[in-house]
């Protein structure tokens, strides 16, 4: 069989055309979605996923991360502990603060680092 006669360009098929361009999410949107994922992982302990928290006894230690770095939550503290019974409520409150702009300076710095890293990677790929 001559496979070159059997295949056709993907552009000829509407089902395979690229969808609308992705809209870039803000750092706050990314962190908010990630916090929701952490709540889901906490409620389903057997589910797969990277956890930002560790449960020991009746307490939970956790951090909130963006661009692979933890945010400063209280003063310079990046990891804090809360009673297990209040964990979900605390995460929802932090999410609300993220959406209100409470962590804007930290998220902007993380976003700048992500853009710089992406630009460096793109330049490296171009050289190859």
């Amino acid at each position: 069989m001559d496979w070159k006669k059997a295949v056709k360009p993907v552009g000829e098929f509407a089902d395979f055309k690229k969808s609308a361009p992705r809209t870039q999410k803000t750092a706050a949107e990314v962190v908010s979605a990630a916090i929701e994922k952490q709540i889901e992982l906490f409620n389903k302990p057997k589910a797969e996923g990277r956890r930002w928290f560790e449960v020991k006894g009746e307490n939970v230690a956790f951090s909130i991360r963006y661009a692979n770095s933890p945010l400063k939550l209280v003063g310079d503290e990046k990891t804090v502990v809360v009673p297990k019974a209040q964990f979900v409520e605390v995460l929802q409150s932090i999410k609300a603060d993220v959406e209100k702009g409470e962590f804007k300076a930290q998220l902007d710095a993380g976003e700048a680092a992500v853009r710089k890293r992406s630009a460096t990677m793109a330049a490296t790929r171009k050289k190859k």
Side-chain angles (χ1 to χ4, degrees), residues 25-82:
K25 293 182 180 179
T26 66
E29 290 171 329
V30 171
V31 172
S32 292
I35 289 172
E36 284 297 322
K37 179 66 176 174
Q38 293 305 304
I39 292 170
E40 179 183 320
L41 290 171
F42 179 75
N43 289 329
K44 297 178 182 174
K46 299 208 185 273
E48 291 287 323
R50 183 175 181 203
R51 287 162 171 76
W52 294 347
F53 60 88
E54 181 180 6
V55 179
K56 287 198 177 180
E58 291 303 311
N59 293 308
V60 181
F62 70 96
S63 61
I64 302 297
R65 304 180 72 81
Y66 177 68
N68 207 25
S69 297
L71 300 178
K72 293 177 183 175
L73 297 173
V74 180
D76 285 339
E77 292 294 325
K78 296 177 180 178
T79 302
V80 293
V81 176
V82 67

Side-chain angles (χ1 to χ4, degrees), residues 5 10 14 24 27-28 36 49 51-52 54 71-72 81 83 88 92 98 102-103 106 110 123 126:
K5 290 181 181 175
V10 73
Q24 191 168 354
E36 284 297 322
R51 287 162 171 76
W52 294 347
E54 181 180 6
L71 300 178
K72 293 177 183 175
V81 176
V88 171
Q92 290 170 337
V98 166
E102 181 87 17
F103 296 95
Q106 291 182 68
K126 254 185 190 174

Side-chain angles (χ1 to χ4, degrees), residues 78-118:
K78 296 177 180 178
T79 302
V80 293
V81 176
V82 67
K84 187 176 172 180
Q86 295 176 333
F87 181 64
V88 171
E89 184 180 354
V90 168
L91 283 186
Q92 290 170 337
S93 295
I94 292 172
K95 177 184 171 194
D97 283 350
V98 166
E99 292 170 349
K100 284 188 243 171
E102 181 87 17
F103 296 95
K104 185 169 178 22
Q106 291 182 68
L107 294 176
D108 287 349
E111 199 164 15
V114 167
R115 285 198 182 110
K116 182 179 178 186
R117 186 169 48 239
S118 293

